[in-house]
Amino acid sequence: MLSTFHYGLKPHGTLWLGPSETIANSIRLFKSIDKRSRIYERLDVASEVPRPISNRRIRSADAQNPPVPNADVDVQATGILAKYAPAYMIVDGQSEVQRFSGQIARFLEPVSGGASFNLFRLLHAELRGPARTLVRKVSESGSAGQEQVSFHLEGRAETINLIVEPMTEPSGGQRSLVLAFQEVVQPVRNPIGASLPDGSFGGDGSHNELLAAREKLQTVTEELETANEELQSSNEEFQSVNEELHSTVEELETSKEELQSINEELQTVNAELNNRADSLVRSNSDLANLFDSTSIATLFLDSEFRIRRFTPSVSDVFNVREGDEGRPITDFASRLAYDGLTPDAALVLRDLKSIEREVDTEDGTSTFLLRIKPYRALNNVIDGVSITLFDITERKKLDQARARLAAIVESSEDAIISHDLDGLITSWNTGAQKIYGYSSSEIIGEPMSILLADDQIDEWPANLRRLRKGEPITNFDISRTTKDNRAIHLSLMISPIRDDKGKIVGASAVARDIAERKAAEERALLLMAELDHRVKNILAVVASVVSQTHRSGQPPDTMSTEIEGRIMAIARAHNLLTDHGGTEGSLRDLIATELGPYEQQNNLTLAGTMSY
């Protein structure tokens, strides 16, 4: 796959692998740019595409193997091999075969296992050792080298000159090598056992020894090849294990990075949990301080009406104390004259609607507003009820006092009216409706000047200024015509209204009907005039009596007696008139009163009736 990637990429192109992949042993094809990110650069070397090796593929390798990128390779190879004209192969610096030429098949004997273009896995077994030594020497020295090598081919011995010569790489990359196989012509030999002219060879003993040595050498060579193949196989296995180990290491590195990432996430989650824990501690502290500082009795019950939590003020109503959490509320007595707590709580749980009731204590000294609401958890799940008790004793007393005051105001025969600082009427009682004839819907919102006489309207702005300063207005008499055109006389008293902070927010006016007082004053004036008239008449009568008595010429004592008697008669007549109301009387009674002192002495008799 990496060879395919190398073949498909442009020179110096970029290869980006996954976090668990690596270039393994393809370091000749790619170099690392960022090992951590698995980014590699394509090296400008000959590409390879692994294919299975067969005799047919070897014979046609020239046509199927990718050409060497350098354009002058063929020219150089032709120039070098022109001196020898043998079969040859071109290999790169990694001993990978790049090109075949000539009758090369008889020099090849691929080893068993995976297909490969490695030179030493393709060569004949007897040629691998000498070729490996020669290739190493040429690679190290940079100069050409050759060696005569013998090997067996189809049961006969063959001798060749193994030639290795380096090629020049214009790109400055790894140097390629040319490996040529030059055949050596063998001299004609006499048959085995024939006598030689010079007598240098003969005898069965030497020949047998030579044959034994050859067989032994062949055996050793085969054993060596077998050991070499086993070592090669072991090497491949080690390479496979190394690659697997490399993959495992990379996977471990990836796992380490993932663990580091997970560790960072865990640290983040731990920090969030610490923050939440701190926030929860602060919330619990705030809640505890709120419970300790509030004066509102609050009780939390679960769905089984067991105590979950309560504020200290609850102990003033229920006989609970710290440590009673978890016990049913029905186990505790309360000061309330109320037995419907549990049924009402069950009703709230069933209908999910709040309930409010005013309940009194058993001794009647306190009143509480009882409110039962569903207890909702943060996930909006109903998990019991919350009960709050507000002490409304003072408020109820104030409400009762306000109700009594309102009843007094409403039932008063006087007109009690309130208005704001702009003089607009804000309240209107029944007495005002009886006196003025206007209903509250008709008059509320109208100015107070509508109730004043025309000559008093001009004085009203000055009165408003006095009220804003807090000065009351007393003995303010007005006369008005009511809605039904009835003339009335009223005494108006206006006082400022202050709020709980002492600020003047309006005024109250009390208007009282003074018609009877006005009539009494008129009657008093009439009586004073009548009294003046009568006193003057009496004095005139007394003066006339004195004057007439003085003309009679009687002695002073007699004259004094007569004057006194006549004045007493006038007094008796006035008393008689006063006894009858001062307006009418009986003439008979008057005569009888006047003649009473003389009735026995003169035998007087009265008859008839007359009134005056």
Side-chain angles (χ1 to χ4, degrees), residues 418-438:
S418 64
H419 63 85
D420 58 17
L421 295 178
D422 294 328
L424 300 179
I425 296 173
T426 56
S427 68
W428 188 263
N429 74 332
T430 304
Q433 183 173 347
K434 290 179 180 178
I435 292 175
Y436 289 99
Y438 296 100

Side-chain angles (χ1 to χ4, degrees), residues 335 360-368 391 393-394 397:
R335 296 175 51 228
D360 297 324
T361 56
E362 292 178 347
D363 56 6
T365 57
S366 301
T367 303
F368 292 91
D391 191 350
T393 305
E394 296 298 327
K397 290 180 180 179

Side-chain angles (χ1 to χ4, degrees), residues 109 111-112 125 128 224-234:
E109 187 180 306
V111 297
S112 300
R128 293 171 192 165
L224 182 60
E225 288 178 356
T226 303
N228 191 26
E229 290 177 359
E230 291 177 356
L231 289 175
Q232 187 78 15
S233 177
S234 299

Side-chain angles (χ1 to χ4, degrees), residues 289-328:
N289 282 278
L290 176 63
F291 274 28
D292 292 338
S293 61
T294 184
S295 60
I296 300 174
T298 305
L299 182 65
F300 298 103
L301 305 179
D302 61 13
S303 57
E304 301 295 332
F305 308 130
R306 292 189 294 266
I307 297 174
R308 177 176 289 152
R309 199 165 186 176
F310 57 88
T311 60
S313 302
V314 172
S315 58
D316 297 335
V317 181
F318 294 91
N319 294 327
V320 297
R321 59 185 178 180
E322 187 177 356
D324 288 334
E325 290 84 355
R327 296 179 59 186

